[in-house]
Amino acid sequence: MTVIPAFTGKRLVLARHRRRMTLAALARASKLTTHSLTHFENRLKYPSPQSLDRLAGALDVTPEFLLAPPPQQILPETMSLRSPTRLTARKRNSAVAVAELTAAFVSWIETHLWLPGPNLPSWPQLDPEHAAGALRAHWQMGDAPSGELTPLLEANGIRIFALPTDCGDVGAFSTRQSGTPFVFLPSHLDGEQARQHLAHELGQLVLGHSRPGHRDSRAATMQFASAFLMPRTAVVAAMLRTATHERLAAAASAWGVPTSAVLHRLHDLELLPAWSHRSNIQRLGDETPPDHQPRANSVERSHLLPKAVAHLRARGLPVDSVAELTALHTDDPPRWATTSPASPASADE
């Protein structure tokens, strides 16, 4: 019987996790026994070519995917998964698989093309307010509105990708691999939501909390995001203590955040009394229609990676073949984040 000597089992585990399949489910789909699958995954025996084809068909991958070298491991505890104790093992493992495969694709790009290196300090000793201000100073942003965040983060070496639609339920998360920071966003977000998630994950990376999903960590990164998007000195200078709803909305539009975020920021900086904060939030809730749409200029779009891939493709390098080895099928390649009010789920352009 011919065996597959290049098969290690790790890619089989990776594909099964990415598909959120149990051993029993894969056994049914491939018409193989769970005993055989366990032996394949632990490299106690090799699959025959026929078994390999069955596995590839059941997992909707190519046989080459299962035979490729496994990507570098990313530990779940290094990922800022929201409420990790509430995530099922299947969802967590699927997110890990997406991160590992995406990082492998980026690593291949970096062997052929220069990409901006990481320029993101880690300041776990700083409180969120000072960390946000320090990062703005480090990136020479001043107090001006940040504008579109994706190009800013990409220029400082942060790789930003959209999660596949069947993995979006894990929420946004970030991680580092070999020093390179990655941020993953659900593909259904509009630009305004994506900007807030990006700022939140930026806080996770900068503050470097050891328990990313813990309640205290979430509060700290939310405070960081607010301070990064709306710098203290700019908020104070705007003199919004007695501002009309229209002025608050204009400030929110300039900073690229919801009006409610401006109200919370004013309250946190003690620029808005508690009673005024409550009444404004109530009024905002009463006036906001249920079918509220994001602002027309609310867009987050990756500029770096699509250009990098187009450049490599123009040089004749096998971008698509490599992408297939870092994806489960041709409809599931690593995707760079693209959001817009008109097409919030589009990320393949």
Side-chain angles (χ1 to χ4, degrees), residues 175-322:
T175 188
R176 290 180 188 256
Q177 190 201 62
S178 301
T180 299
F182 286 81
V183 174
F184 295 87
L185 300 176
S187 60
H188 65 269
L189 302 177
D190 64 56
E192 195 172 82
Q193 294 169 329
R195 189 172 297 113
Q196 289 187 292
H197 280 289
L198 283 170
H200 184 276
E201 295 307 322
L202 190 60
Q204 291 281 10
L205 292 165
V206 170
L207 297 175
H209 290 290
S210 58
R211 294 193 295 169
H214 191 266
R215 181 174 60 186
D216 293 341
S217 175
R218 292 197 302 273
T221 52
M222 288 176 65
Q223 186 180 350
F224 175 97
S226 180
F228 184 80
L229 294 173
M230 296 171 282
R232 175 192 292 267
T233 52
V235 174
V236 172
M239 295 184 291
L240 298 172
R241 179 187 292 269
T242 59
T244 63
H245 184 72
E246 289 70 23
R247 277 195 63 208
L248 290 170
S253 180
W255 285 318
V257 299
T259 306
S260 59
V262 175
L263 292 170
H264 292 315
R265 181 66 170 149
L266 290 169
H267 181 253
D268 291 342
L269 293 176
E270 299 182 349
L271 297 175
L272 196 66
W275 65 267
S276 181
H277 175 253
R278 287 193 299 269
S279 64
N280 275 284
I281 290 293
Q282 179 64 49
R283 178 187 175 191
L284 186 64
D286 292 340
E287 293 182 358
T288 302
D291 60 344
H292 169 69
Q293 295 295 316
R295 297 182 179 90
N297 62 348
S298 182
V299 176
E300 287 291 333
R301 182 184 299 273
S302 173
H303 296 264
L304 175 67
L305 289 166
K307 291 181 180 179
V309 168
H311 179 74
L312 293 174
R313 198 175 274 135
R315 286 169 51 187
L317 291 170
V319 177
D320 297 324
S321 297
V322 173

Side-chain angles (χ1 to χ4, degrees), residues 1 4 7-13 16 23-24 26-27 32-48 51 55:
M1 180 181 66
I4 312 296
F7 184 85
T8 67
K10 293 183 179 179
R11 279 270 180 161
L12 176 58
V13 176
R16 183 170 65 80
L23 280 170
L26 181 55
L32 296 168
T33 66
T34 55
H35 182 269
S36 292
L37 295 179
T38 300
H39 279 65
F40 294 157
E41 290 190 351
N42 290 282
R43 207 179 181 184
L44 297 176
K45 70 175 183 179
Y46 297 105
S48 66
S51 295
L55 291 169

Side-chain angles (χ1 to χ4, degrees), residues 30-186:
S30 63
K31 295 181 171 56
L32 296 168
T33 66
T34 55
H35 182 269
S36 292
L37 295 179
T38 300
H39 279 65
F40 294 157
E41 290 190 351
N42 290 282
R43 207 179 181 184
L44 297 176
K45 70 175 183 179
Y46 297 105
S48 66
Q50 294 77 17
S51 295
L52 189 72
D53 287 339
R54 287 187 182 184
L55 291 169
L59 291 164
D60 197 12
V61 300
T62 63
E64 290 75 18
F65 177 94
L66 297 175
L67 295 175
Q72 184 176 339
Q73 184 181 20
I74 294 178
L75 299 176
E77 53 266 31
T78 68
M79 299 166 60
S80 64
L81 295 168
R82 308 290 175 87
S83 303
T85 57
R86 298 181 183 178
L87 274 182
T88 64
R90 290 189 204 178
K91 291 181 180 181
R92 182 188 65 244
N93 292 338
S94 180
V96 172
V98 168
E100 290 180 349
L101 291 168
T102 302
F105 183 58
V106 171
S107 179
W108 179 83
I109 291 177
E110 291 174 334
T111 62
H112 298 280
L113 188 68
W114 178 87
L115 295 179
N119 180 29
L120 184 64
S122 179
W123 289 315
Q125 75 280 8
L126 295 182
D127 65 79
E129 186 77 33
H130 286 91
L135 184 61
R136 273 185 158 266
H138 183 71
W139 285 352
Q140 300 180 348
M141 295 173 62
D143 292 330
S146 59
E148 194 179 346
L149 276 190
T150 303
L152 173 66
L153 270 59
E154 288 182 328
N156 286 283
I158 303 171
R159 316 300 185 221
I160 303 171
F161 285 85
L163 286 166
T165 53
D166 63 346
C167 197
D169 54 2
V170 302
F173 66 88
S174 55
T175 188
R176 290 180 188 256
Q177 190 201 62
S178 301
T180 299
F182 286 81
V183 174
F184 295 87
L185 300 176

